[in-house]
Each structure stands twice: as structure tokens, then as C-alpha cells.
Amino acid sequence: MKIQAVKGTRDFYPPQMAVRNFIVDGWKTASIRNGFVEYDGPIFEHLQMYQIKSGEEIVEQLFNFEDRGGRHLAIRPEITPTLARMVNQQINALPRPIKWFSVPRLCRAERPQKGRLREFFQWNIDIIDVEDVLADAEVVYCSLDYLRSLGLTRNDVVAKISSRRLLAAVLKNIGIPEARLDTLYPILDKKPKIPAEAFVEMLEKEIDDSDTVGMIVKLMDVQSVDDIPDLVELNDEEQAALDELAQVFAYLKQMGVEEYCRFDMGIVRGLAYYTGMVFEIHDAAGELRAICGGGRYDNLLSDFGGPKVTATGMGMGDAVLEILLREKGLLTDESVPVQTLDYFVACLDADLFGKALKVTAALRQQGHSANLNYKTNALKKQMKAADAMNAAKCIIIGGELKESNQLVVKDMKTGEQELIDAMTFLK
RNA sequence: GUGGAUGUAGCUCAGUUGGUUAGAGCACUAGAUUGUGGAUCUAGGGGUCGGGGGUUCGAGUCCCCUCAUCCACCCCA
């Protein structure tokens, strides 16, 4: 009976683990560089927690189960609800603003596809209790900061930024009732992914008035924030939303990443809970799924039973990122840092094996990484083993130990070797 | 849930109009070489040809079913 890995999961053999660590370590380093501190929660939560934000239907997309106490639980498909729960629990004790990051392992019961798996890692950063759009700009900046640190340039990636608040205000202004907005968002979100005619067709199904449909199409094609006043007469709410978005861009310019950023009315995000700036970072060619996405969600904490505290954040999965980095030649199996060994201890004579063990243990005791062959076979074999483990130095225990209590220490890189008194290692 | 493609060794793949005991390269193990690593050469281990059924004297090859994987759709927190 041969059992294989579960659909949509990956095995991380040492080479793949090195790649994963490369990505995850980069995320953590970028987070810390940008002033975020790490948190984590349990990998399963009450099923109900995911229904608050995403509705009843979400259940079929989750791995859920009942525990022996009859609790309905689910493996986490995202960490934002956990974050909301944790922050709410200690809201009065936490120093503000809260800038937290996490790299949770998540599971979703979806059909696997390119860049989309059933188990994956996702870098999350969130800033809580900062009303100023500076927090939104910081989230975008931090995402770009990481991508830039990998060697991706403005020719490789683009941050597409828009505003839910602006979109809602404009739609209301052209006569869309507020209650219709939530059904419209997923359609608008699709616009960049489908042909223009299909987009119009979908809109016409929802909206009877063809003038309104035409206006929406025009709006969605707007290339710059400055063009919006030409299309609609701005009311106070629209003006405020527009100013706010302009401020996001102003901050990003001050931080020197404006050439990565672009206004894009087509960035809507399917979910209802976004309240302000929304953004996605895509590969410049637009061939892959979004590398990351996020935005402001000022109502989430109160939806989870907490006080009304503002929040903004982003999530970046490892799957699309890895595909992009490999395509760009910024990640190969050879380019990833490999695990190395400080000392490999080779033993030439079975009689001396006890000494070899002693030296190895002493090296470990001193804080070095050290390893040895379990069999005393040909030196050639042992050198090969040392090489395979990326040993920096190889200690050879042979006749010199018997004759003058000395060991051969070979530098594996230069090939040079010297005789050193055994006591140097054994003390 | 829908559609398409693909399943032969750990990996990448060959395998003729159906014909005897299923092959190569890489990887792995050992040896050439009992005191010196990445190379070379030699040898070895490793396969119920995804699984089941059918056609046939005979199936890796043809037919049916099934399972799995990948890709696209749906969805995408």
C-alpha cells in the first residue's frame, strides 16, 4: 500500500526546505526592518470565526472538523481573524500603534492550480489603530521593500492601488444604491481578467440603466486620480476619498517607491470588508496571480466584538512569489543558501574511532557544528562525505595522533592543511 | 462542480505495425584507489509500465472503467 502526499500539499525535502527558508527568512527580515514584531496563533480556530468575515459559504472552502467535545473547528485559511481576536482580547494593554507580522501556514480546500495550493505559507503584516493613510502607505512600502530586496525592479512588479472608499462614493454618486455595492464589487474586481464585452455584459445584468453602465466602464478605465473630476462632479465624500488616496501616493513618493506604484481603478478586491485603500502587487507582465494583496479594513475588529479600531494590512503567499522569482532567475536551487558544517571529523583507523568521537563531541561542546562517519571507511569516502555536507574544515585523525598527539586540520576551500595539537580541540 | 492534458526506475524520458527476460541518462551504493573532496571508468541495487477489467496465442503498446497529477474555468480571504 503506497500512500502519497495529500492533494495540494508539498513535501519539503532539504533542497526545497532551503528555498522555503530563503523566502520566509526574507519576509521576517523585511518585517523587522520595517518595525513590525512577530506574533502567531493556533493553526485551528472555531469554525464560526471564519464565517464572521467571509460568510456561511466559506465553510466548503475550509478544512473543518468536529473535536471530541463537539466543537466545530477549522484549520486556519487566513490569519486575520486570529489577529483580530488576539488584538481584541488585549486591546487595552497593547502599546499603539500595533505593527505586527506573522508567517502562518494556512490551508484552504480549493482545487490546486498554478500558484495556488491547499497548504501554503503567507506573510502577513498589519498596522492597527493608525487612522492616517500613512499606515496604508507603510504596508505598501514594506511589501515593495521586500520584493526590491530580492532584486525585483519596477520592470518586474507593479503595485496597483485604489480606494474602496472612493469607489463606493463615486458609485453612489452616479446612482447606485448602497445595498447594491457588495454585489457589484466582485464584478468590478473581475474587469482586468475578462474581455471588455463580457464585463459590460455582466454589468448590464445588474444595472438596467445603460448610461450608468457606460459611466462605470469609463470610470474603471480611468488612468489617473486626476481624471476622476472630469467624469463626475465631486461631492464632499468623493473629494475626501480622493484627497486621502492622493496622500497615500504622496507618502509613497516620499519613501521613494513611486515608480513601482500606479493608480488602478480595477483593483477592487472581492471581499466586502475593505473600507479604504486597496492594493495588489502583480508581475509587470500580468501573467501570474497577484503576488500580494491587502488594504484597509476599519470595521473588522469591531465585527469581532472589539472596539472600533482601525486596521490595514496585507498578505503575500509563497507559491506565486516562488514562481515569479524562478522566472526572473532570482531563485534557483543553487542560489539558495545551503546548510554548512564547521567540522567534519575523518577517522583512518578503527582503533582511533573513540578519539574521533571524543573530538567531535568536544567540537560540538564548543558550539561548532561537527559530524563524522559512522563507519571507518576509506579516507576518500570520508572526504566525499565532508564535501557533501559542505564542511568548512575536515579534521583527519590518523597516525599523527599516535606519534605526536596531533591532528590534521584541512581547510576544504583552500585545500591547505596543518598539524594541530589534539588538546586544542579536546580541552 | 465543469473542461483539457498527462501517468514507464527516486528524477527526466525512450520503448518500432501488439511479440521472448522492459531500457538510457542523471541520482544512489560499491569498486578501481587501505592517507586526501567535486572528475573519469566499472559494477550493483532499484520497476506488479498508476490500478482494475476486456480484446488477443501474446498487451507498456489496442478498448472500457477507475484513480492520481498538472493546466484552465468557478472561487480566491
Side-chain angles (χ1 to χ4, degrees):
Chain A
M1 185 73 173
K2 200 175 175 182
I3 297 175
Q4 59 187 122
V6 174
K7 180 199 282 284
T9 65
R10 292 167 288 179
D11 292 324
F12 295 92
Y13 288 86
Q16 289 88 44
M17 194 65 206
V19 170
R20 180 175 130 193
N21 282 336
F22 167 75
I23 289 173
V24 170
D25 291 348
W27 284 343
K28 293 189 176 183
T29 304
S31 301
I32 292 163
R33 188 163 63 228
N34 283 266
F36 291 81
V37 292
E38 190 166 13
Y39 73 97
D40 199 358
I43 62 161
F44 50 84
E45 294 271 7
H46 290 286
L47 175 62
Q48 184 198 6
M49 213 170 81
Y50 301 109
Q51 296 169 313
I52 294 174
K53 181 179 143 194
S54 311
E56 207 64 43
E57 324 77 59
I58 200 71
V59 175
E60 15 185 302
Q61 308 210 47
L62 299 179
F63 288 102
N64 60 87
F65 59 98
E66 202 172 303
D67 75 0
R68 288 199 287 174
R71 297 175 190 87
H72 295 277
L73 306 176
I75 301 177
R76 62 188 180 188
E78 57 170 330
I79 203 171
T80 310
T82 302
L83 171 72
R85 182 176 63 69
M86 287 169 63
V87 170
N88 278 340
Q89 272 171 20
Q90 304 207 353
I91 189 73
N92 293 322
L94 297 169
R96 323 285 178 88
I98 296 163
K99 285 179 73 170
W100 281 6
F101 81 94
S102 194
V103 182
R105 184 173 202 143
L106 307 175
C107 293
R108 298 176 183 174
E110 300 175 295
R111 278 278 169 100
Q113 285 170 54
K114 189 177 182 186
R116 189 204 219 186
L117 299 157
R118 286 187 161 187
E119 184 194 45
F120 56 97
F121 295 85
Q122 190 185 63
W123 177 35
N124 280 254
I125 57 173
D126 291 275
I127 302 178
I128 291 165
D129 200 20
V130 177
E131 231 170 299
D132 193 311
V133 291
L134 177 54
D136 300 292
E138 275 260 275
V139 167
V140 175
Y141 176 82
C142 182
S143 313
L144 287 169
D145 178 42
Y146 167 69
L147 295 173
R148 259 199 322 190
S149 74
L150 295 171
L152 291 164
T153 70
R154 60 176 175 277
N155 298 319
D156 302 314
V157 292
V158 55
K160 301 177 178 178
I161 301 168
S162 186
S163 162
R164 262 301 177 75
R165 187 179 166 195
L166 175 65
L167 181 63
V170 172
L171 290 175
K172 273 190 270 182
N173 192 7
I174 61 172
I176 311 283
E178 182 145 20
R180 306 280 299 163
L181 293 180
D182 284 358
T183 55
L184 224 46
Y185 289 145
I187 298 173
L188 300 181
D189 189 53
K190 279 199 186 63
K191 199 226 161 200
K193 299 155 198 161
I194 59 176
E197 313 81 58
F199 177 60
V200 172
E201 211 171 290
M202 287 178 81
L203 281 179
E204 280 168 346
K205 263 186 207 155
E206 294 294 327
I207 301 160
D208 296 334
D209 182 46
S210 63
D211 286 350
T212 308
V213 169
M215 181 58 95
I216 291 176
V217 172
K218 262 190 216 161
L219 268 172
M220 297 303 289
D221 283 334
V222 163
Q223 294 299 309
S224 158
V225 187
D226 304 330
D227 297 338
I228 293 177
D230 300 339
L231 286 172
V232 290
E233 203 172 313
L234 296 181
N235 60 26
D236 290 351
E237 170 57 16
E238 286 168 312
Q239 190 59 56
L242 211 52
D243 291 347
E244 192 183 80
L245 191 56
Q247 187 59 49
V248 172
F249 279 95
Y251 284 134
L252 289 168
K253 187 170 183 184
Q254 282 172 325
M255 287 191 275
V257 290
E258 78 270 27
E259 69 266 29
Y260 283 86
C261 301
R262 201 169 77 201
F263 171 70
D264 190 330
M265 204 72 180
I267 298 304
V268 178
R269 314 276 297 150
L271 234 66
Y273 77 76
Y274 287 106
T275 57
M277 181 214 69
V278 283
F279 82 105
E280 287 175 3
I281 298 180
H282 288 258
D283 63 298
E287 283 162 2
L288 303 173
R289 300 170 172 283
I291 300 160
C292 73
R296 179 165 283 270
Y297 52 98
D298 285 343
N299 299 327
L300 191 69
L301 269 73
S302 59
D303 288 347
F304 275 80
K308 185 134 179 64
V309 172
T310 66
T312 182
M314 116 28 235
M316 179 186 296
D318 66 322
V320 174
L321 179 70
E322 186 179 333
I323 292 168
L324 177 69
L325 291 178
R326 286 190 189 276
E327 279 182 5
K328 296 289 180 188
L330 295 170
L331 171 62
T332 63
D333 290 340
E334 295 74 38
S335 72
V336 165
V338 293
Q339 192 167 319
T340 58
L341 187 74
D342 296 334
Y343 289 96
F344 186 91
V345 180
C347 180
L348 298 174
D349 184 340
D351 292 345
L352 295 171
F353 187 76
K355 295 281 184 193
L357 252 188
K358 205 168 180 177
V359 169
T360 306
L363 287 165
R364 291 171 177 168
Q365 196 63 33
Q366 290 162 30
H368 301 293
S369 56
N371 206 3
L372 79 169
N373 253 27
Y374 293 157
K375 276 197 299 190
T376 309
N377 49 13
L379 180 57
K380 192 175 183 98
K381 283 269 185 271
Q382 300 194 53
M383 296 297 293
K384 252 186 176 171
D387 192 53
M389 302 193 72
N390 302 306
K393 290 188 172 165
C394 185
I395 293 179
I396 302 167
I397 297 181
E400 299 86 349
L401 187 68
K402 288 178 183 165
E403 290 154 19
S404 57
N405 206 34
Q406 285 179 312
L407 305 173
V408 176
V409 178
K410 174 168 183 157
D411 186 303
M412 295 296 280
K413 203 161 198 173
T414 63
E416 286 165 19
Q417 52 188 53
E418 50 185 334
L419 277 170
I420 293 182
D421 194 282
M423 287 319 288
T424 311
F425 296 98
L426 289 171
K427 70 165 179 230

